[in-house]
Amino acid sequence: MAEVIRYDNGLRVITEHFPALRSAAVGIFVGAGSTGETRADNGLAHFTEHMMFKGTDKMSPFEIAAAFEDKGAVVNAFTSKECTCYYFKSVDENVESCFATLGHIFFDSVFPRDELEKERNVIIEEINMGEDDPSDICYDLIAEAVYGGESLAFPIIGNIGNVKKFDGDDIRRFMREHYRPENTVISFAGCVDSDCADKLVKKYILGRFAEYSAAPRRIQAVAKVKSGFRERIKDFEQSNIAVAYPTIPFNDGKTMTQSALNLIAGGGMSSRLFQSIREKQGLAYSVYTSPSAYVNNGYFAVYLNITASNTARACESVRRELEKLAAEGVSDSEFMRAGTQLKSALLFGQENCQSVMLAGGKLLLMCDEIYDVDKRVREIDAVTPSDVNEFIRRYLTPDRVCAAYVGKDYDADIMKIFKE
């Protein structure tokens, strides 16, 4: 069972101790992502994450990289819609050294002007690379279709215009607003117990927050959702389609019900959409479903990678399968298969300390709850076929549908197909 330490300044630490392991994964999570941005500073959370590895008052970018790699450690970071995470994985004897370096760059990065210019160009290349990937474009467009002008629709990476203007003062202001102790969680998993984690945090992190005064954490409000459609006509060899239905937020009581539906509808090779659209009809190389869940918002989406000329046939096939699910419900065999798959994925994840670290840190940051794998297993066992059927009929309805298309020009009305 994970243990949580809560300090007076609001900082929280979660530890999942696996004494048999000789490695540990450690992450610093901050409640800072694209949902905390405006159109004027969209992309700043991601830009800040990149710049945290570009030099401190004592270390060059190379010295930062070497400090981890000399110890055989893996270090990385990511920015999502609602949080940023800086993390490493190392063997037991090097945890303290790597944690000291991670804390150093977290508090002492100086954002040199020359490094800002170089990283600005790197991120612009990252944006350009995304423009060559129809699936990346489609993910952003379906968020726009669901959330319209809300910040949940903003691309995490931002846009070239914003990236070109960000400077060190922008990053420092952003960090003062978001990189606060009450908005930060440190997650340990592996060969580190709670006492050791407490000592490391007190030695390298806790006192460094002294300059910050407490402020309430900003939580993304429930976004107003309208049934929308977005498209990007571009000469890609294949086209991408996303069809989404607003459903439930992160850690909702129906999360495991939605997860079971995900596996039944399009979460694997035995799923209905994969068998119908790829195996039986050969209409798509890739077809799958995936829920996207945030603190107070979420949606369930179907994704297809097809030839533009198959747009109408593929969409009609998806609609028929979803209608069949709603009309007939799930079978006992596919329900049992989904439950077994959910448990297996959950328990497989417990064998990877990095997965445990990420799950524990995110849940504590987002919901102030301790990740409990036994509780998750009980939640899976509690789901019934009637729960899944009720979920389908409540949420996957024509009046709630949103869609996005990326690819060559096509001759179909996607929204009409799903609203008929």
Side-chain angles (χ1 to χ4, degrees), residues 145-146 225-230 244 246 398-403 415 419:
V146 175
V225 176
K226 294 183 179 179
S227 182
F229 178 72
R230 298 289 189 278
D399 61 304
R400 300 172 64 83
V401 72
C402 304
M415 290 294 282
K419 284 182 169 293

Side-chain angles (χ1 to χ4, degrees), residues 204-258:
Y204 297 105
I205 298 288
L206 190 61
R208 302 300 308 277
F209 281 115
E211 62 189 272
Y212 297 107
S213 57
R217 180 172 172 241
R218 286 182 267 176
I219 301 296
Q220 176 67 29
V222 178
K224 297 178 181 178
V225 176
K226 294 183 179 179
S227 182
F229 178 72
R230 298 289 189 278
E231 69 177 9
R232 177 85 63 84
I233 304 301
K234 194 169 181 178
D235 191 24
F236 291 118
E237 286 303 313
Q238 288 192 303
S239 300
N240 279 250
I241 298 173
V243 181
Y245 299 85
T247 54
I248 58 175
F250 177 69
N251 208 38
D252 183 90
K254 299 183 181 70
T255 292
M256 290 304 174
T257 300
Q258 180 170 245

Side-chain angles (χ1 to χ4, degrees), residues 3 5 7 13-16 26 99 186-188 192-203 205:
E3 296 182 63
I5 304 170
Y7 298 99
V13 171
I14 183 168
T15 307
E16 185 81 49
V26 184
F99 187 73
I186 305 177
S187 181
F188 293 81
V192 177
D193 62 22
S194 186
D195 288 341
C196 180
D198 181 41
K199 291 175 182 176
L200 290 174
V201 170
K202 286 178 176 175
K203 184 174 181 180
I205 298 288

